[in-house]
């Protein structure tokens, strides 16, 4: 493999992992668009799949004390698995442009809603009704383009949970979808020739956890909310540039 691809991949995973360790979202959002500047998106998805899964599991364990504060994770997780299977099949048979365009639209609308009304939140009853559809869409995005963060993070953010509960919730859902996607990537041969780079990328990913936790606590509540929304918005737009430029 080209040394430039290796260095770019490790640097992108490190940057994305630090953001993820702070907010619960960021590794594939940042790493996949960056890596796919030099390789195809299927390779970028495969390289980031294992470090992303490892980091999600580590963050779920670290923030497990906040599990009782989470909401709707059961139904979101089940429909996410279904969507991830469908999306992984679509990765090789369906154009990604419509999915990416829809994702960007959802994120932009949510960001505008947040910045014009920072107190906006979903009521429990409404969130419970909509959760199955959101989980399905997030799973399809994860399987098809390797990125479900904008959907999941926007949705969980609208619950207005504590910082720890938000990180626990989004990483739990990412761990479920990633745990479904990874064996499928192995089975269809996507990991062929990429195992060593994917395993090596786990080292910088996991090393960011203590630094991210300290930086997360340094934010005010409002500052953390703004950080999450900005990360999701910028990442979705970056994915759009890579897809359509």
């Amino acid at each position: 493999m080209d040394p430039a691809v290796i260095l770019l991949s490790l640097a992108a995973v490190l940057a994305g992992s630090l953001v993820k360790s702070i907010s619960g979202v960021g590794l594939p959002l940042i790493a996949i668009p960056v890596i796919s500047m030099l390789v195809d998106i299927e390779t970028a998805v495969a390289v980031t799949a294992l470090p992303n899964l490892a980091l999600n599991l580590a963050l779920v364990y670290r923030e497990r004390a906040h599990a009782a504060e989470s909401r709707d994770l059961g139904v979101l997780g089940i429909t996410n698995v279904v969507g991830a299977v469908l999306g992984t099949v679509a990765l090789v048979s369906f154009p990604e442009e419509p999915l990416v365009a829809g994702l960007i639209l959802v994120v932009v609308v949510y960001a505008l809603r947040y910045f014009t009304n920072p107190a906006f939140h979903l009521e429990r009853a409404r969130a419970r009704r909509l959760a199955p559809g959101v989980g399905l869409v997030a799973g399809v995005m994860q399987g098809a383009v390797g990125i479900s963060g904008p959907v999941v993070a926007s949705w969980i953010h609208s619950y207005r949970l504590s910082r720890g509960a938000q990180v626990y919730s989004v990483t739990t859902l990412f761990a479920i979808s990633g745990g479904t996607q990874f064996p499928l990537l192995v089975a269809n041969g996507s990991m062929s020739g990429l195992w060593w780079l994917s395993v090596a990328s786990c080292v910088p990913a996991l090393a960011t956890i203590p630094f991210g936790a300290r930086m997360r606590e340094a934010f005010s509540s409002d500052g953390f909310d703004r950080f999450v929304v900005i990360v999701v918005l910028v990442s979705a737009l970056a994915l759009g540039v890579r897809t359509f430029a």
Side-chain angles (χ1 to χ4, degrees):
M1 180 174 287
D2 190 328
V5 174
I6 297 172
L7 292 176
L8 183 66
S9 298
L10 293 173
V13 168
L14 178 63
S17 297
L18 180 58
V19 175
K20 184 178 185 67
S21 293
I22 298 171
S23 63
V25 61
L27 199 170
L29 291 171
I30 293 172
I32 289 177
V34 172
I35 297 171
S36 61
M37 291 189 298
L38 295 184
V39 297
D40 57 79
I41 191 169
E42 289 83 359
T43 299
V45 169
V47 168
T48 58
L50 184 58
N52 190 43
L53 178 59
L55 185 54
N56 280 320
L57 291 172
L59 288 170
V60 168
Y61 180 78
R62 190 181 191 282
E63 303 299 334
R64 65 193 183 280
H66 298 279
E69 302 173 53
S70 63
R71 291 164 48 187
D72 302 326
L73 290 187
V75 66
L76 286 167
I78 292 171
T79 53
N80 205 315
V81 168
V82 175
V85 173
L86 295 175
T88 301
V89 174
L91 177 64
V92 295
S93 61
F94 191 79
E96 67 181 42
E97 287 83 358
L99 296 174
V100 173
L103 180 148
I104 293 171
L105 178 61
V106 169
V107 171
V108 169
V109 169
Y110 180 76
L112 290 174
R113 182 66 179 269
Y114 169 75
F115 286 115
T116 55
N117 181 18
F120 168 75
H121 68 280
L122 281 176
E123 297 179 354
R124 283 181 176 270
R126 186 180 183 191
R128 193 174 298 114
R129 289 195 303 271
L130 297 176
V134 173
L136 185 66
V137 170
V140 169
M141 292 301 304
Q142 179 66 36
V145 297
I147 295 177
S148 61
V151 178
V152 172
S154 299
W155 181 254
I156 296 299
H157 183 265
S158 70
Y159 287 6
R160 290 299 193 271
L161 304 174
S162 68
R163 276 173 276 196
Q166 179 164 312
V167 171
Y168 174 83
S169 297
V170 295
T171 52
T172 295
L173 294 174
F174 292 153
I176 291 171
S177 60
T180 303
Q181 179 195 27
F182 187 69
L184 294 172
L185 290 174
V186 175
N188 67 21
S190 295
M191 297 298 297
S192 178
L194 299 173
W195 275 103
W196 71 270
L197 179 56
S198 190
V199 172
S201 297
C202 291
V203 176
L206 295 174
T208 64
I209 292 177
F211 300 101
R214 285 197 291 269
M215 295 174 70
R216 187 194 316 152
E217 293 305 316
F219 280 106
S220 66
S221 295
D222 290 341
F224 178 76
D225 282 339
R226 287 193 295 271
F227 179 77
V228 171
V229 173
I230 290 172
V231 167
V232 173
L233 180 60
V234 170
S235 300
L237 294 176
L239 179 62
V241 171
R242 185 205 58 77
T243 303
F244 298 107

